[in-house]
Each structure stands twice: as C-alpha cells, then as structure tokens.
Amino acid sequence: MDETKPKCNINSLFEAARLEDRYLKICAPMVRYSKLEFRNLVRSFGTDLTFTSMIMADSFCQSEKARQNEFTTNKVDSPLIVQFAAKNSMDFLSATEMAFPYVDGVDLNCGCPQRWAMVEGYGSALLKTPELIADILAVVRRNFPSTFSVSVKVRLLPNSLKATIDMCRKLESCGITFITVHGRTPVEKTNVPVNKEALKEIKNSLLIPVVANGDIFSLQNADLMHEFTNCDGVMAARGILSNPALFAGCEKTPLECIQRWLSIATEADTNITYQAMHHHLTFMAESLLTRQQRIVFNNLTKDKQRVLDFFREEFDLKSQPYDHPPKLGCTYDDTAYRQRMDATIASEVVNTTDYQSESTDGAYFTSRMNECGDHNIKEDVDFMDGNLFEENEI
C-alpha cells in the first residue's frame, strides 16, 4: 500500500488566488491544537491552507516516539505545511527530509515569543541573527524541488521597520516560497493592535507572497486586512480556534460546526485525547453556553461519553458517521540524520557508539509528556505559537 500523498504546489495556490483577486485563508500553527482532526474541521469551513502545530525539529529527528506523537496525516490532509522550530540547518534539513513524503511544504518558526523558546534560542530569538535564519532556509531550499514550499514565520523587529524590511528581503533572496509576518514585535502583547501599516510596507517591498497574521477574529477582519495591506494570505489563530467556521463567514461557531467536531472526535480514525476534544469544545461553545452550562461542562469527568451526553441534552446534537479517511502509516528514514549527527559528534571527538534514533525524546516532547496530567486551559493556550493569551488574561 502506497502511504505517500500527492503533492500540492503552494506557489500555484498563491498564483491562482492572485489571478482571482482573492487571498488564501490560512489556519495558523498552534501548539496542541493544529492537529489532523482540527485541520480537517477548518478545511470543511473554507480554510485554504493549514499548518501543523509547531514541532521541535531536534525532537522530530531524534525520536520515533516524538514523530508519531507530534505528526499524523491522511490522504486528504492537503494542502499542508509542517512547521518546525529549529536553530541550526542540520536539524531543519533532517526533519524536512523525514516529513517530505507527507507534506506540501515546510516552515521555520521565527515568531514564537514564549520565554522557553527565547531562552533556548528558538522562535523569536532567531530574529536577532537574520544571517542564521537565512542560512537555515537556504540549506533546505537547495535540497528540495522548487515545487516544494519553503517558508518562514517572523515578527516585526523592535528597532525599526526598515530593519524588518531588510531582514525580509534577505530571507526572500534565499528563494523561499512565501513569508508570514505577525504584525507585532516579540515583546508586544495582544492588547497592542497589529501594525497594519508595517505589514503593508513589507508587502510592497517584497516580490514573494506575504501572509499577514494577527487580530483576525472574523471574515470581515480578514477581508479588511487584505484590502489594506494587499497581502496574499491572511492567517488566523485565536479567532479560528474559537470559531473554526470563521473563514466561511460565520460570526460565531455554528451548531453544525460543533456537530461536525463531535463526529470527527468520536467516529473518525483518530486517537484524539479527551483533553483535546474537550478544550476545542470549550473554545467553540463559549459564546453558546450560559455561565451555568460552562461550569457544568468544564467540570465533566474525563469521559467522552459525558461530553456527548452534554451536547445531546443541551443542544440536541449527536455524533454522526463521518467521512474521515484513515491515518497514513507514516514511516521515517533517519539514516541521513544519523550520519550527519555521527559526523558532527566525531568532529568534536565524542564517543558515538551509544547513539540511537530514540536515545532522547528532546526537550519539547518531554515537556509535553510532563503535562499530560491535570492542568488548566490557560497553560495550554500560553504554550501556543503566537502567544495567544498573556499570562494575566485567564
């Protein structure tokens, strides 16, 4: 059985949208939430392009357990871009090689402002060294077909707009397919409005497609962003998490969307956790539930059937058979990575005899596993790419 997927040319998607005077509607990479099941849901409501959750490239390279935990896909999960957090070209290249059969492009995260990422040199920390970002992107661009998308997600630099434009031009010169720009600096909180003027200037300064990100809570927000900046795509995070039907023009999550999510989470070939199922429903149904209903729902025991009973009793919703193709049995060849790692370690005169693919889970994967116990939604949301909520908001 062929477990690869047909490829989608992301460049052609942008070109088709340009010719039709429209923009691509894009679901952002969100840690814990941009999983296969949620990607399937948002595509059914008008989303053109989806990203995986941000995945640590070193964990993906080192651990089969991490790969199986962090990435799942199926035959219709396209167009799809996998986003990696990496701080060197070896990890980014090796992770891309392993994911290549199953995705249409790869994206480098240079926008995550979380403290853990900054301390470790990932995400927004890379913005201090545009030359390193350029090197990481260029290495991957040289090693893959031009039809395979290579992109990067950045934030505005704090010193000047000119510096941001210069950085974006440097990255453009690497031959990347497109660039996503979040319209805030790494230190600006979500109560600071997105700088649309800056996004417009960046778009006018580049030849490659530019995706605008930040403060998209409705289709009207997305339309206005496109009209003002002339951007080629609009990416939603917080807005689409609360309302997966955002790009379909729905002002709030319709009951049909919740019905569809219940069906995906219970009827499809999926191993979605109770935690993920419950959290998504918490976000989706927030505007539909009374205060008392929210209290009841948030205190349900960890039992999917209790969730189904709640929505059947309160809204007459039931899970239905759902056409969700089975997951692909993804296999990954880590031979090239092992060889690179052995060569790197050997050059440092370090013993490599004990090196194995699963010798470590990597920091990110380990942190995820440590959080499998009881924890509140605030902690999950804070861990997303894009700093969806600040620590004092919930």
Side-chain angles (χ1 to χ4, degrees):
M1 179 179 178
D2 182 9
E3 290 290 278
T4 60
K5 293 166 56 178
K7 294 291 186 185
C8 175
N9 190 322
I10 304 298
N11 222 350
S12 296
L13 289 183
F14 279 110
E15 179 63 16
R18 186 187 66 80
L19 293 174
E20 297 169 10
D21 193 27
R22 60 182 178 84
Y23 60 92
L24 292 188
K25 302 177 176 71
I26 304 172
C27 180
M30 295 178 286
V31 172
R32 285 194 180 88
Y33 299 120
S34 296
K35 299 291 188 176
L36 170 62
E37 297 81 13
F38 188 68
R39 299 194 299 264
N40 180 279
L41 180 68
V42 297
R43 282 199 190 93
S44 71
F45 285 100
T47 297
D48 298 312
L49 175 62
T50 65
F51 283 66
T52 67
S53 304
M54 182 185 75
I55 301 172
M56 292 300 293
D58 64 346
S59 296
F60 196 83
C61 291
Q62 295 166 10
S63 169
E64 178 65 20
K65 189 186 301 181
R67 293 191 282 268
Q68 296 299 331
N69 183 76
E70 294 300 320
F71 181 81
T72 56
T73 189
N74 61 23
K75 290 280 190 181
V76 299
D77 185 27
S78 180
L80 174 65
I81 292 177
V82 58
Q83 188 189 70
F84 288 115
K87 56 184 178 182
N88 62 68
S89 57
M90 186 182 75
D91 285 346
F92 192 53
L93 173 62
S94 300
T96 302
E97 287 172 338
M98 293 184 212
F100 175 75
Y102 309 109
V103 298
D104 305 301
V106 64
D107 187 80
L108 178 64
N109 184 305
C110 297
C112 181
Q114 294 295 308
R115 284 187 294 273
W116 70 267
M118 300 289 285
V119 169
E120 296 295 327
Y122 295 103
S124 293
L126 288 167
L127 298 177
K128 299 175 183 178
T129 54
E131 297 80 8
L132 176 58
I133 301 175
D135 176 68
I136 294 172
L137 293 170
V139 168
V140 171
R141 179 68 287 168
R142 289 195 301 268
N143 283 276
F144 288 88
S146 60
T147 52
F148 182 73
S149 179
V150 178
S151 59
V152 62
K153 186 172 187 286
V154 302
R155 284 179 171 248
L156 303 178
L157 297 180
N159 40 345
S160 72
L161 176 56
K162 180 181 182 303
T164 303
I165 291 174
D166 288 345
M167 176 186 68
C168 290
R169 284 174 171 165
K170 182 185 293 290
L171 303 184
E172 178 183 45
S173 69
C174 298
I176 60 175
T177 309
F178 70 96
I179 187 169
T180 301
V181 184
H182 184 100
R184 296 185 181 90
T185 69
V187 298
E188 288 179 329
K189 309 301 184 184
T190 52
N191 59 351
V192 176
V194 161
N195 190 338
K196 293 183 180 180
E197 290 285 353
L199 294 174
K200 182 178 181 179
E201 286 299 314
I202 293 169
K203 167 58 188 172
N204 290 338
S205 303
L206 301 180
L207 297 177
I208 59 173
V210 174
V211 173
N213 175 223
D215 287 354
I216 304 301
F217 298 100
S218 67
L219 182 59
Q220 182 182 31
N221 290 159
D223 289 343
L224 291 174
M225 178 68 83
H226 170 63
E227 291 170 12
F228 186 83
T229 66
N230 195 33
C231 60
D232 304 276
V234 175
M235 177 181 285
R238 286 177 290 164
I240 203 168
L241 184 66
S242 296
N243 178 11
L246 181 155
F247 285 131
C250 300
E251 294 184 1
K252 63 181 181 180
T253 307
L255 289 178
E256 177 190 359
C257 182
I258 294 177
Q259 166 80 75
R260 201 168 296 178
W261 177 248
L262 292 172
S263 299
I264 291 174
T266 59
E267 300 292 329
D269 172 30
T270 175
N271 58 353
I272 188 169
T273 64
Y274 172 86
Q275 175 189 339
M277 176 190 184
H278 186 273
H279 284 189
H280 276 296
L281 287 169
T282 299
F283 302 137
M284 291 181 206
E286 182 179 6
S287 64
L288 303 175
L289 301 179
T290 65
R291 183 175 182 276
Q292 186 57 41
Q293 286 174 323
R294 282 198 297 272
I295 292 173
V296 172
F297 181 69
N298 288 335
N299 284 281
L300 292 178
T301 57
K302 295 184 177 181
D303 182 347
K304 286 185 179 181
Q305 188 57 50
R306 294 287 300 277
V307 172
L308 296 176
D309 292 343
F310 176 88
F311 280 95
R312 185 186 69 251
E313 295 165 3
E314 299 293 337
F315 299 100
D316 195 29
L317 296 179
K318 302 176 183 178
S319 65
Q320 303 290 338
Y322 195 77
D323 184 16
H324 189 275
K327 298 189 298 293
L328 291 181
C330 299
T331 58
Y332 305 96
D333 183 359
D334 65 355
T335 303
Y337 172 73
R338 289 165 58 97
Q339 292 172 344
R340 293 186 189 111
M341 179 61 73
D342 288 345
T344 300
I345 295 174
S347 68
E348 298 173 357
V349 197
V350 175
N351 187 354
T352 64
T353 55
D354 293 331
Y355 180 80
Q356 295 180 1
S357 178
E358 297 187 44
S359 61
T360 174
D361 287 329
Y364 178 63
F365 181 77
T366 301
S367 69
R368 292 287 300 275
M369 293 301 96
N370 288 341
E371 295 170 4
C372 286
D374 292 336
H375 54 288
N376 59 41
I377 292 172
K378 168 190 174 297
E379 290 172 337
D380 286 336
V381 176
D382 278 351
F383 208 71
M384 289 182 184
D385 175 30
N387 204 21
L388 292 186
F389 299 104
E390 302 307 326
E391 290 183 356
N392 60 356
E393 280 194 71
I394 300 179

